[in-house]
Amino acid sequence: MKKYLFVLALISLTACQDNSGTSTQQKNAANPDTTSYKIYSELMDQILGQKLGKVSNGTAYRTGSLNPYRKGFPGFSHKALAACMIWDVENARVSYKNWFSSGNTDWNYAAVGALNNCEHYKRQKSLSCKCQVVDHDDINVLEIPYDFRRAYESRPENGPGVIANVGAGGNSHNGNEIRYSEAHVQPIDSPLIVRYRPIHKATRIKDETTVAVDKDGKEKTDTEHNESTISVTKVGENLLYQTSYRADDKDFTFNMLMSELGDVQEVTVSGPDTEKSHEVNQALQTFKTMIEAYSTVYPDEGIKTGDELYSDRGEVRMGSFDAWVKIKGRVVGLTHFRGRPSILVDLAGSYLRIGSNPKSYMNGWMLLDANTGVTTKMHTRTVMQFSANAKKLIMTAIDELRLPQLAPTQITDPSEKQFYLDLAWEKLLEGREVFPVMVKQVGRVGYVKSASLIGGKKCDAVFRYDETGQGDWELTCTDGTRAVGVLQTLGRGKGSKGSGFDTDGNKIDFRIRHSLVEN
């Protein structure tokens, strides 16, 4: 049985999560993470049961009326609610000082507005609580700190945060499916070009629970929490993907050399006495299998909704075990994760096969970061029934890679909106790259302040155009770089395009898009 548990524990590709807690963002009572849902439900019941205090003039609500958050904000398509949370680890109790809600036409700004109001209140009152988004568009996005979760679930009255319901589903992929419900998803109608790009060291956290159910229905639960780091650096024309691993009280590094499309050329391990460590070499073989089965190879022509990313792969053998895995990954559309444009991939229909046992179907989803190509989150559930009288194994895993937020940290002006700068800059960029930028529009002039571009370069820009849609632009960066050029608007809602040169004579070509998937 240990062999099977070991295989199950390694069938999810490494992605990652914040050190501060376990991300739990499912919407309803079928949420596999019962701890998050229980705390979220209790908090929302308290908050929604409160009456409004002082209400600003011009709103549709009156002082003393019940919290109308569930009804939304008139004129806004998105909403969020934040609270100043107090996580009492010693007593395993959670409370909050105050709550704040916000509405906006932009998904990111709704959360930012609620958090800003919370932080302002926290500073004003000199509080020691932590401002967190609790609800986003009626979806649970509350993140539970790991230390608090461990203390909370150790109490008999709370029980473990079991992330699998045993009753329905069996080994069918139709029952207890893990559905994506974290953010709005829009279809990718025209090909979106994605390539792997360098990233600085990022925290990787994986939380995994395996539930063994015997023929009498008794459960035995095993939960693991692992932390590591990954980085991706440029090596000539290729990229070096590295992830840390600890075994035998020693630190090792798995190294994967790949092209920007994701074609793997070499996988190795480095560290002290790697040849002598059976555990490390076994983990290396599993890492190679994960790369063969789960890593995304991006097509030259880009990806769009409906594409099958792993259609050319059959069953992949898992190391030296008599086990095979087959991944199905259908592109659903474009969404956001931590303010970053991300591609949602549905994993339903994937399966695991061990020996002569029936196929064990897997469901779930993954998010691919549109700017760097890496998997930033994956949530999976696998059920295996070895025989009618044997144990049933149910394994769920949540992996996250916590890359820096791309969303703005505060709203400086309601006229400021997020766009995407599709940029080619001779000698400074090897190819085209996309950068999120905030543009403040005043009449026919657009202003960009402190945009983070190449290698952290901070730049200000001004875009001007006349009634015909033609104009000019200029850019100034903190390192002294300057550039000027011309531009042409492309019609309402279609952004603009432009070209020019910097002071060193390097050519610049760009397109300003409202979204990543515009034609």
Side-chain angles (χ1 to χ4, degrees), residues 60-72:
Y61 306 114
R62 296 181 179 181
T63 300
S65 60
L66 285 177
N67 187 346
Y69 174 80
R70 291 297 190 203
K71 299 179 181 179

Side-chain angles (χ1 to χ4, degrees), residues 23-33 36-37 40 138-141 177-182 365 377 379 398:
S23 178
T24 53
Q25 305 178 356
Q26 295 298 316
K27 183 176 181 180
N28 50 41
N31 185 325
D33 189 343
S36 175
Y37 184 75
Y40 164 83
D138 293 325
I139 294 173
N140 170 21
V141 293
E177 292 187 350
I178 292 177
R179 298 289 187 179
Y180 179 83
S181 58
E182 296 193 4
W365 47 265
K377 186 166 185 179
H379 193 176
I398 299 178

Side-chain angles (χ1 to χ4, degrees), residues 12-214:
S12 296
L13 179 66
T14 53
C16 303
Q17 180 170 305
D18 185 15
N19 279 320
S20 65
T22 302
S23 178
T24 53
Q25 305 178 356
Q26 295 298 316
K27 183 176 181 180
N28 50 41
N31 185 325
D33 189 343
T34 56
T35 295
S36 175
Y37 184 75
K38 180 179 179 181
I39 294 175
Y40 164 83
S41 299
E42 291 174 352
L43 282 171
M44 292 304 292
D45 285 346
Q46 294 176 37
I47 292 172
L48 297 177
Q50 293 184 7
K51 294 182 178 180
L52 296 180
K54 185 178 180 181
V55 178
S56 301
N57 293 331
T59 65
Y61 306 114
R62 296 181 179 181
T63 300
S65 60
L66 285 177
N67 187 346
Y69 174 80
R70 291 297 190 203
K71 299 179 181 179
F73 292 77
F76 296 121
S77 54
H78 298 286
K79 63 182 179 179
L81 185 146
C84 207
M85 304 295 298
I86 300 175
W87 302 99
D88 183 355
V89 175
E90 183 176 349
N91 297 303
R93 293 178 181 175
V94 58
S95 59
Y96 66 97
K97 284 293 185 181
N98 210 335
W99 59 268
F100 307 84
S101 58
S102 175
N104 204 284
T105 55
D106 182 276
W107 185 84
N108 293 317
Y109 273 174
V112 171
L115 278 175
N116 281 349
N117 292 335
C118 181
E119 292 289 354
H120 177 72
Y121 176 84
K122 176 182 173 180
R123 289 193 298 270
Q124 192 178 47
K125 300 293 184 179
S126 299
L127 302 175
S128 59
C129 49
K130 179 182 179 181
C131 287
Q132 293 181 243
V133 179
V134 177
D135 182 281
H136 206 155
D137 287 343
D138 293 325
I139 294 173
N140 170 21
V141 293
L142 181 63
E143 295 188 0
I144 313 296
Y146 178 68
D147 289 341
F148 180 86
R149 176 187 291 275
R150 184 169 54 185
Y152 181 89
E153 293 177 354
S154 67
R155 300 294 180 93
E157 65 270 23
N158 296 326
V162 177
I163 49 180
N165 290 324
V166 179
N171 60 2
S172 167
H173 64 285
N174 294 320
N176 292 326
E177 292 187 350
I178 292 177
R179 298 289 187 179
Y180 179 83
S181 58
E182 296 193 4
H184 174 71
V185 181
Q186 67 180 97
I188 306 174
D189 297 321
S190 58
L192 173 63
I193 304 298
V194 183
R195 299 289 184 266
Y196 285 97
R197 299 298 184 197
I199 61 173
H200 296 294
K201 184 179 292 187
T203 302
R204 168 185 170 257
I205 295 183
K206 178 176 181 178
D207 285 283
E208 181 177 271
T209 294
T210 302
V211 180
V213 186
D214 63 22

Side-chain angles (χ1 to χ4, degrees), residues 258-509:
M258 64 180 181
S259 72
E260 67 173 10
L261 290 173
D263 295 308
V264 178
Q265 299 165 18
E266 185 180 20
V267 180
T268 60
V269 61
S270 56
D273 301 322
T274 54
E275 301 84 1
K276 299 179 182 179
S277 175
H278 174 71
E279 179 183 345
V280 170
N281 283 283
Q282 191 177 54
L284 175 63
Q285 293 303 314
T286 303
F287 180 71
K288 289 180 178 179
T289 300
M290 297 303 100
I291 297 305
E292 294 173 2
Y294 284 86
S295 65
T296 304
V297 177
Y298 293 105
D300 278 321
E301 65 273 16
I303 59 178
K304 60 185 184 299
T305 294
D307 286 352
E308 293 286 347
L309 292 184
Y310 309 101
S311 58
D312 59 339
R313 304 182 198 178
E315 291 185 339
V316 178
R317 189 180 183 92
M318 301 191 67
S320 60
F321 296 103
D322 188 17
W324 306 79
V325 62
K326 166 61 178 170
I327 300 301
K328 295 188 66 176
R330 185 182 67 86
V331 176
V332 179
L334 188 70
T335 184
H336 281 78
F337 176 57
R338 288 178 53 80
R340 302 182 67 94
S342 304
I343 298 107
L344 173 63
V345 178
D346 187 359
L347 299 175
S350 302
Y351 64 82
L352 172 71
R353 179 170 62 85
I354 296 180
S356 60
N357 287 285
K359 293 176 181 177
S360 167
Y361 283 95
M362 178 194 306
N363 64 72
W365 47 265
M366 65 166 59
L367 295 177
L368 307 173
D369 187 65
N371 283 16
T372 63
V374 299
T375 303
T376 49
K377 186 166 185 179
M378 185 160 65
H379 193 176
T380 58
R381 179 178 187 271
T382 305
V383 180
M384 175 168 288
Q385 181 78 54
F386 291 102
S387 69
N389 297 320
K391 289 183 178 179
K392 177 192 295 182
L393 296 180
I394 304 172
M395 195 204 76
T396 59
I398 299 178
D399 301 327
E400 285 192 26
L401 179 65
R402 193 54 69 96
L403 297 179
Q405 284 267 17
L406 289 185
T409 56
Q410 60 180 5
I411 301 175
T412 56
D413 194 298
S415 63
E416 192 177 33
K417 296 182 179 180
Q418 179 170 291
F419 291 82
Y420 295 95
L421 176 63
D422 184 345
L423 176 66
W425 195 328
E426 187 179 12
K427 293 185 179 179
L428 274 73
L429 290 174
E430 294 187 6
R432 299 191 74 92
E433 290 197 23
V434 178
F435 302 90
V437 294
M438 300 303 297
V439 179
K440 178 180 179 180
Q441 192 76 25
V442 181
R444 294 196 181 100
V445 182
Y447 299 92
V448 176
K449 293 291 185 181
S450 299
S452 296
L453 300 180
I454 307 153
K457 184 193 295 287
K458 297 283 188 179
C459 302
D460 295 342
V462 179
F463 303 88
R464 294 174 286 259
Y465 58 94
D466 58 25
E467 62 276 3
T468 69
Q470 297 183 346
D472 61 88
W473 59 271
E474 58 184 283
L475 176 142
T476 304
C477 302
T478 52
D479 64 354
T481 301
R482 292 178 57 83
V484 296
V486 296
L487 64 82
Q488 171 71 55
T489 60
L490 301 175
R492 186 176 182 84
K494 295 183 178 180
S496 59
K497 64 179 181 179
S499 60
F501 294 88
D502 65 18
T503 48
D504 293 324
N506 298 317
K507 186 177 180 179
I508 297 172
D509 180 82

